[in-house]
């Protein structure tokens, strides 16, 4: 599904530097359905595209709600939303994508840091509605910076613990991860330093790697060999090209006129995910699981290349 036009119907300041944006179709028609953990591309009038987690929709999906943290040193997306976006302004939104899906489990541990609370809002709500055991721990610089804290208190009661760093210090990860309910899954979203600390604490405390799920705002650094030229056949398009060592597979395909969607260009959004028909991908994304990487039948051509000199892609 291509991008579609929506109207900004409401902007609400939720905390220091955090504004929520409600979006509706101009004709009032329902928006595409989504599941907890999904995000959308928001295409701003100045041509900037950014990804934001979906927070809520009414049962008829007549609107979407996202939250945007103002980042003054960003590439301009958050600054535009905070300074220029107004109710009534039209923007474009992409169809929901979900690479942080809430798998069914008997229990959950949710860890959110700062604006990383946003995908966990719908997850905790779903866990509560399903009658699952869960705990939500939310860390931030201060209470003033922690969006939705009152809403979360009302909805989750004792299942919620707030950790405003200026008074509590950081989340006590070893304490939180030491005891694990049978079959529990851990979902975590926040700054990269927090995610790295959670990964280390989870390993120390015996959490299986496949039961620890992360969503990232920025790509991690993946070790790999030198980038070499690779021949790529876009089978459906009937185009064969040589991708040079100084360009990505995605850029090579676009240069050759092969239509393929993209957004973040850093391996964290999944917009360019492509089926691999032949060849072995050299995965450098932050989306695919270990099992998906081992299967080798899909890749993110914005960052990943080939373990060999040829790939055949279903584009």
């Amino acid at each position: 599904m291509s991008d579609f036009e929506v109207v900004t119907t409401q902007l609400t300041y939720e905390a220091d530097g955090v504004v929520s944006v409600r979006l509706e179709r101009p004709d009032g028609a329902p928006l595409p359905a989504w599941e907890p953990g999904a995000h959308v591309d928001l295409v701003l009038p100045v041509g900037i595209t950014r990804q934001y987690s979906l927070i809520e929709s009414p049962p008829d999906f007549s609107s979407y709600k996202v939250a945007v943290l103002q980042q003054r040193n960003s590439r301009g997306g958050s600054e535009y939303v905070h300074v220029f976006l107004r109710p009534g302004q039209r923007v474009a939104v992409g169809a929901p994508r979900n690479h942080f899906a809430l798998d069914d489990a008997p229990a959950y541990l949710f860890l959110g840091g700062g604006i990383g609370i946003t995908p966990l809002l719908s997850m905790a709500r779903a866990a509560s509605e399903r009658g699952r055991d869960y705990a939500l721990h939310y860390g931030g610089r201060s209470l003033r910076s922690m969006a939705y804290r009152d809403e979360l208190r009302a909805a989750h009661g004792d299942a919620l613990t707030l950790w405003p760093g200026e008074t509590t210090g950081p989340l006590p990860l070893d304490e939180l991860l030491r005891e694990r309910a049978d079959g529990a899954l851990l979902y975590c979203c926040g700054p990269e330093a927090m995610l790295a600390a959670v990964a280390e604490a989870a390993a120390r405390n015996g959490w299986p790697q496949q039961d620890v799920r992360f969503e990232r705002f920025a790509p991690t650094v993946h070790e790999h060999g030198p980038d070499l030229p690779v021949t790529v056949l876009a089978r459906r398009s009937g185009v064969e090209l040589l991708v040079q060592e100084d360009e990505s597979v995605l850029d090579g395909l676009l240069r050759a006129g092969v239509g393929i969607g993209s957004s973040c260009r850093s391996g964290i959004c999944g917009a360019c995910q492509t089926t691999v028909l032949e060849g072995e991908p050299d995965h450098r994304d932050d989306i695919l699981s270990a099992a998906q990487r081992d299967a080798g039948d899909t890749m993110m051509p914005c960052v990943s290349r080939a373990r060999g000199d040829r790939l055949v892609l279903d584009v």
Side-chain angles (χ1 to χ4, degrees):
M1 176 184 252
S2 59
D3 296 344
F4 48 91
E5 189 178 53
V6 293
V7 176
T8 304
T9 60
Q10 185 179 22
L11 289 95
T12 305
Y13 282 91
E14 308 288 356
D16 286 355
V18 179
V19 64
S20 67
V21 182
R22 189 170 293 280
L23 305 162
E24 299 180 8
R25 271 188 162 149
D27 59 3
L31 294 160
W34 58 279
E35 297 291 335
H39 66 268
V40 293
D41 286 343
L42 184 62
V43 187
L44 299 169
V46 289
I48 295 173
T49 300
R50 294 291 180 268
Q51 300 82 43
Y52 297 106
S53 296
L54 285 163
I55 295 173
E56 66 178 47
S57 292
D60 62 358
F61 293 102
S62 58
S63 68
Y64 286 162
K65 185 177 180 182
V66 299
V68 181
L69 172 67
Q70 188 171 25
Q71 297 175 299
R72 299 188 185 278
N73 295 323
S74 73
R75 292 174 294 166
S78 71
E79 195 73 4
Y80 184 92
V81 170
H82 278 257
V83 176
F84 299 107
L85 194 64
R86 294 292 182 269
Q89 191 169 357
R90 296 194 177 194
V91 297
V93 167
R97 296 192 300 272
N98 199 343
H99 294 282
F100 194 48
L102 184 68
D103 290 341
D104 193 30
Y108 299 99
L109 177 59
F110 301 114
L111 303 179
I115 197 64
I117 192 63
T118 52
L120 305 182
L121 293 172
S122 60
M123 291 184 167
R125 186 163 56 244
S128 177
E129 291 171 352
R130 296 173 188 177
R132 301 295 192 265
D133 291 332
Y134 69 99
L136 172 59
H137 293 269
Y138 178 14
R141 294 189 311 276
S142 67
L143 284 176
R144 297 184 307 278
S145 71
M146 297 171 71
Y148 307 106
R149 61 186 184 275
D150 293 333
E151 174 185 320
L152 288 166
R153 283 178 178 135
H156 303 292
D158 292 341
L160 170 72
T161 305
L162 300 179
W163 299 91
E166 65 179 10
T167 56
T168 66
L171 276 68
L173 295 178
D174 283 312
E175 176 184 328
L176 299 180
L177 297 173
R178 190 168 295 125
E179 295 186 8
R180 175 178 180 247
D182 289 343
L185 297 179
L186 167 60
Y187 284 83
C188 179
C189 184
E192 189 58 37
M194 174 188 173
L195 270 56
V198 170
E200 292 174 2
R204 280 197 305 271
N205 288 279
W207 284 72
Q209 186 176 7
Q210 67 271 19
D211 293 342
V212 181
R213 318 288 174 82
F214 296 107
E215 178 152 84
R216 288 183 154 83
F217 301 135
T220 56
V221 177
H222 297 273
E223 294 184 4
H224 57 81
D227 293 339
L228 301 174
V230 56
T231 298
V232 177
L233 171 62
R235 177 161 289 173
R236 277 192 284 123
S237 301
V239 174
E240 187 170 85
L241 66 144
L242 182 66
V243 175
Q244 301 295 338
E245 65 272 13
D246 60 351
E247 66 179 341
S248 67
V249 174
L250 172 65
D251 286 338
L253 290 168
L254 294 174
R255 170 175 57 79
V258 178
I260 181 170
S262 66
S263 181
C264 73
R265 291 176 170 261
S266 57
I268 61 173
C269 79
C272 67
Q273 186 167 349
T274 302
T275 298
V276 178
L277 301 175
E278 296 178 27
E280 182 182 0
D282 179 11
H283 296 292
R284 305 176 189 179
D285 65 275
D286 289 298
I287 294 175
L288 298 178
S289 67
Q292 289 172 316
R293 289 167 182 258
D294 290 343
D297 55 7
T298 189
M299 68 179 288
M300 308 299 164
C302 66
V303 291
S304 299
R305 296 183 72 85
R307 295 184 185 279
D309 57 7
R310 181 176 171 83
L311 284 172
V312 180
L313 303 179
D314 186 24
V315 290

